[in-house]
Amino acid sequence: MNLDDTIVAISSPPGAAPRGIIRLSGPDARTIAARFFHADSSESLEPNVGQVESSRPAASLVGHVSIGRTSLPACAYLFNAPRSFTRQDIVELHLHGAPGVLGLLLDQFLAAGARSAEPGEFTARAFLAGALDLSQVHGIAGMIAARSDHQLQAAARLLHGALSRTALAAREELADLLSLVEGAMDFADEPIEFITPDDLRRRLNAIRGALDATAAAGLRAERWGELPRVLLSGPPNAGKSSLLNRLTGLDRAICAPIAGTTRDVLTAPLDLGDHECLLMDVAGHDDPTTDLDYAAQSAARAAIQSADLILKIVDASKPWEGDAPAEPTFIVVNKGDLLGDPEKDELRRLLANKSTHSAYFVSAATGDGCEALKLGIAQALRDLPVTINDAAIALVAEHRQALDDALRCLSSAIELAGRAGDSLTDADLIAAELHAAAAALATLVGRDDTEDLLGRIFSRFCVGK
């Protein structure tokens, strides 16, 4: 990609419109545009001619553009280097948005010496000139692909640096901690306490909290436009899979009296009348004993975190076990057909302090109570708060992977620091995890520079004095 020539492209969306835009960027952008655009005033796009001075960051001119023998009204917007998007001179011509008109003008610019821009080349020039980092580049792509106001806002937060600020602040704090940890390694024989394990854990937990919040904000943005998620949770063999099949009318889940039949996260659409939701069935809460059990429980926890509504399934034949569930949660008593009215009343009183919602009595075997439960689910989903002002960020797969890698390394470092005594043992292992976390965060903003850690030590401590 040649960055020293002048590129041109139609920047408005395809199709006819009241206004179309052609954009030029490069050293000859003003000269080439001035051959075809003529201002109604004495000003000109030509460099150092008229009243348009290069010291001004931007200027706008009203005039007309010549396309062959035809003259059409147009506006020219000039963005001077180095304060433009690409850090080069940029000229945008706004005129009638007929595709044929724009195509003819584009051909004239190409014949005058401009080169047709490659896909994304304007943004690439901005990135290579240091005007944007990688996360902001992804933000532009997200704004282009947005299909709703929520998605547009989430992408705009990415473009305006929400992820960059979090990543850079975390890297700066990690660099400080690395200087302290590696100082403890390099000067282990000196009576100098660079950082205590407790202080290290506290500061690492703060970094992890900020990155966790960013990852959660990305998850919320991903969920926009998807069906709301309703999750069936509870102990093994409470009838969750049978209830999923009954509510959805599908034989989606294998049902058996053997506990632990469900391993993966099973999903099926649930018709709620005027809208739908995604009903999810996960492995029952139990103490894992095998690697497969651990994987099933991990998948269940991840699904619970992503759910909009949780249905806590209770077996009517067994007493309540466990703590009160997190909100928003419905308590659903399965096998309710086995209970009489007095027994149901007694169980309602028992469950009254477990949830702010009334308990639902259903039977997956007969279908009793299932329609009332579906009405309750529909109302609960309608009552969920709308997150118009939510600080969600439109993260892409690379962002999520980098955040996951950084969080995993931070968790390992926190665990190592937790095993340390009064002095910082395993400092070399902790430093390795912090280096890996910093490297993962660097990929978010496209920076691979390393901090001068020893210089930080000397600037903060009188080592060897």
Side-chain angles (χ1 to χ4, degrees), residues 22-369:
I22 290 185
R23 176 188 290 175
L24 300 99
S25 177
D28 297 325
R30 295 170 62 175
T31 300
I32 293 174
R35 293 181 56 180
F36 306 100
F37 174 81
H38 309 283
D40 292 341
S41 65
S42 60
E43 297 176 310
S44 171
L45 290 176
E46 283 279 9
N48 301 321
V49 175
Q51 301 177 13
V52 181
E53 300 295 335
S54 60
S55 60
R56 297 171 60 185
S60 61
L61 302 175
V62 177
H64 60 279
V65 64
S66 299
I67 304 177
R69 298 181 179 179
T70 303
S71 180
L72 295 175
C75 292
Y77 296 88
L78 171 62
F79 305 91
N80 287 305
R83 288 180 282 182
S84 71
F85 177 66
T86 61
R87 300 298 189 259
Q88 300 174 318
D89 284 342
I90 290 180
V91 177
E92 284 189 1
L93 294 182
H94 293 222
L95 65 157
H96 182 63
V101 171
L102 296 175
L104 289 172
L105 183 57
L106 178 65
D107 289 341
Q108 291 185 168
F109 286 147
L110 294 174
R115 172 175 61 81
S116 183
E118 299 176 12
E121 188 171 355
F122 287 93
T123 304
R125 291 192 174 197
F127 169 72
L128 294 172
L132 301 172
D133 60 35
L134 278 180
S135 70
Q136 293 173 302
V137 169
H138 287 301
I140 293 175
M143 294 183 73
I144 294 172
R147 297 192 300 271
S148 69
D149 288 343
H150 285 190
Q151 292 174 341
L152 185 62
Q153 292 173 17
R157 292 186 185 97
L158 188 62
L159 171 61
H160 295 151
L163 179 60
S164 304
R165 288 189 294 271
T166 300
L168 291 174
R171 289 187 74 233
E172 184 66 20
E173 178 69 359
L174 283 174
D176 282 341
L177 293 177
L178 269 167
S179 70
L180 298 172
V181 172
E182 296 197 347
M185 293 166 51
D186 294 339
F187 300 93
D189 296 332
E190 298 290 336
I192 302 173
E193 185 177 62
F194 287 85
I195 189 169
T196 65
D198 287 341
D199 191 34
L200 178 60
R201 287 198 306 273
R202 177 184 60 79
R203 293 174 66 175
L204 288 177
N205 274 313
I207 299 173
R208 184 170 64 177
L211 297 182
D212 265 329
T214 300
L219 179 61
R220 291 195 295 274
E222 292 175 38
R223 294 286 309 284
W224 286 335
E226 296 182 1
L227 293 176
R229 301 185 180 192
V230 178
L231 184 132
L232 304 175
S233 175
N237 225 25
K240 300 185 296 298
S241 298
S242 298
L243 189 57
L244 179 137
N245 289 345
R246 170 64 67 176
L247 290 173
T248 63
L250 303 171
D251 290 330
R252 182 68 180 85
I254 298 175
C255 303
I258 303 172
T261 301
T262 301
R263 298 288 189 179
D264 294 324
V265 178
L266 304 179
T267 61
L270 174 60
D271 185 2
L272 298 174
D274 56 347
H275 61 285
E276 282 189 329
C277 70
L278 195 66
L279 197 60
M280 307 169 66
D281 180 25
V282 298
H285 306 318
D286 204 358
D287 293 328
T289 58
T290 66
D291 289 344
L292 185 58
D293 292 337
Y294 278 103
Q297 293 297 317
S298 177
R301 287 192 298 270
I304 289 172
Q305 292 176 352
S306 72
D308 297 291
L309 180 66
I310 298 173
L311 306 184
K312 178 76 173 183
I313 311 303
V314 179
D315 189 334
S317 64
K318 298 179 181 179
W320 174 271
E321 295 178 354
D323 299 327
E327 294 291 345
T329 301
F330 280 2
I331 296 179
V332 180
V333 181
N334 191 29
K335 306 178 186 178
D337 55 320
L338 303 179
L339 302 177
D341 290 338
E343 294 171 302
K344 289 182 179 179
D345 291 339
E346 182 180 355
L347 192 52
R348 282 193 182 94
R349 287 193 295 272
L350 175 65
L351 300 175
N353 64 343
K354 300 293 186 180
S355 173
T356 57
H357 300 286
S358 300
Y360 287 82
F361 288 82
V362 302
S363 172
T366 66
D368 290 346

